[in-house]
Amino acid sequence: MKKIFALCAALLFAAGMAFAQEEEITIDENPYADTATRVLTVEDKYPELHPHAGTVKLSLEYTPVSGEVLVYYECLAASYDQGEAMNSIDAVLEDFARENQFTRLPRIVKKDKATYYKTDSGLRMARYRRWVRFER
């Protein structure tokens, strides 16, 4: 009985090997893939979204290979409002998605973060960051 079971198992294994399909592994062989991170300064065309902050600096870091985008909102700490920062970053991301023809909504990679720092001249500044990933 054991010999018959072993013979059936061997035949099933041989049949499986005979009809198995090879899986073709494709690797992106493009050595010229753009892996550099682009740092873009965004023109502030959203003054209605941040009425309390006088001067706002918006910047964007985009890595095309992974589709990750980091958006920074910087202003004086005294005039910083998180709601205004979120609305401005949402508008920047919508424009960025439209320009680069992304059809899906971005997925948040890490939680939003607000930090405070002092400049060389002693001004307290606030920086709000959002980290998202776009997929085509």
Side-chain angles (χ1 to χ4, degrees), residues 2-121:
K2 291 180 186 178
K3 291 180 184 178
I4 294 173
F5 181 69
L7 183 62
C8 288
L11 287 174
L12 282 173
F13 181 73
M17 293 289 291
F19 294 108
Q21 295 179 358
E22 268 189 39
E23 182 178 344
E24 188 174 318
I25 299 173
T26 57
I27 299 173
D28 186 18
E29 297 177 2
N30 184 3
Y32 303 108
D34 189 9
T35 59
T37 300
R38 298 180 191 148
V39 178
L40 308 168
T41 302
V42 180
E43 180 185 341
D44 184 20
K45 48 188 172 180
Y46 318 102
E48 68 278 356
L49 296 177
H50 51 82
H52 295 104
T55 57
V56 171
K57 180 182 172 191
L58 294 165
S59 60
L60 186 130
E61 294 179 8
Y62 173 52
T63 308
V65 170
S66 62
E68 291 185 356
V69 176
L70 279 92
V71 184
Y72 296 99
Y73 172 97
E74 294 182 39
C75 68
L76 290 171
S79 63
Y80 172 72
D81 180 21
Q82 187 168 347
E84 292 178 0
M86 292 172 71
N87 291 337
S88 299
I89 286 180
D90 286 340
V92 169
L93 287 173
E94 284 177 14
D95 289 346
F96 180 78
R98 192 176 313 113
E99 289 171 6
N100 293 296
Q101 297 154 353
F102 290 112
T103 56
R104 295 183 180 177
L105 292 174
R107 191 171 45 119
I108 294 177
V109 175
K110 285 192 176 180
K111 192 175 176 181
D112 293 356
K113 184 177 182 181
T115 56
Y116 296 91
Y117 65 96
K118 278 191 177 181
T119 62
D120 295 336
S121 59

